[in-house]
Amino acid sequence: MAFRLKADNALYLFLVFIPITLVLEYVVHASPTTLFLTSAVAIVPLAGLMGKSTEMLAEHVGAGLGGLLNATFGNAAELIIAIFALKAGLHELVKASLTGSIIGNILLVFGLGALLGGLKFRRQVFNRTAARLGATLLLLSAVGLIIPSLLHFTRGGPGAAAAGDAATVSGSLSLEIAVVLIVCYVLSLVFAFTTHADLYRGASHHGDHGEGGEGGHAAGAAWSKGKSFAVLLTAAAFVGWMSEILVGGAEEAAHALGMNEVFVGVIVVALVGNAAEHSTAVLVALRNKMDLSLQIAVGSSLQIALFIAPLLVFLSYAIGPAPMDLVFTPLEVAAVAISVIVVGQISGDGETHWMEGVLLLGVYVLLGLAFFNLPG
């Protein structure tokens, strides 16, 4: 517990980058690259505060509604960043960040948890039924995200007219698939928090079985409902402010740092929005709560694929300069498919060890190298 408190305190030290970023933006008028870097660092502790305040708020409303709150706001920071990128018309960056969040959670987060937890405990177990359901839902989400891309690339070959037709069809198909994905997401919440809640209770003794549950705060002094709500709103407001600055410097920063826009979205932006949640999954794995660690990793990826991605498609019709579809690059499609298959193989037996963590991290590094070497 002492280690957790120290980790939290260390994370909150990075809040100093909020005033630093604001001074650089409005007083110094620093370069977009500098603003991109400082705003990215500032978002990390803000995302952590949003997660903690959501969990504290959930403690006041009971386990069922608390789990729903955690599930709903578990990826709020990533959603806010994506909304500002959507408003700026950076659809490729938005879709890359979605891809990065999906593969980052199930490869990097689960991999780190399995590796570090496995070094401390020879064998860590988790509920096999819940893990298989998570893997199946991941497969469904992968299919939903892959189909528009396949249709786009198969219909867009013969000429410009065909390509235009493909874009129209894939756009309407993306909207229809978004509806299906959100329905599946809502039903998965009913399954997890109502009809089969017993499958998820083994993850934590504090009732935080869900994408946003952190499994560590409950042991400390609880915040009041008013304080939790105030911190959540304040952190969300600052995440929005920092996200606007981050998105404004993303393209120039990518060129200045020798990175392509897809790599920035898949690796950099995804890591920024998920950093606090990453640390939580690893910390609970070190306490031999592999059920909770796996649920944080897989649950967050599911929320991105089944809820955040469809929601952004709907929002693009209202706030974006043009509607966003679910057509991803071939490498993004391959990355999601590979990640889902690998995680399904590793989680299927209901137990894990440190070598499986190495394998997951190895796949993540290989995919990162592939994205880094994409043409700019």
Side-chain angles (χ1 to χ4, degrees), residues 252-260 263 372 374:
E252 186 169 323
H255 295 302
L257 299 174
M259 300 181 294
N260 59 74
F263 179 83
F372 184 78
L374 275 176

Side-chain angles (χ1 to χ4, degrees), residues 213-252:
E214 302 209 4
H217 301 303
W223 294 354
S224 68
K225 186 185 296 185
K227 178 180 177 180
S228 302
F229 193 66
V231 172
L232 177 61
L233 289 181
T234 304
F238 275 105
V239 167
W241 201 351
M242 294 297 105
S243 298
E244 187 173 15
I245 297 173
L246 175 83
V247 170
E251 288 183 301
E252 186 169 323

Side-chain angles (χ1 to χ4, degrees), residues 187-207:
L187 293 178
S188 74
L189 294 181
V190 174
F191 181 90
F193 299 130
T194 305
T195 65
H196 290 71
D198 57 297
L199 295 178
Y200 298 87
R201 289 194 185 113
S204 171
H205 301 295
H206 301 294

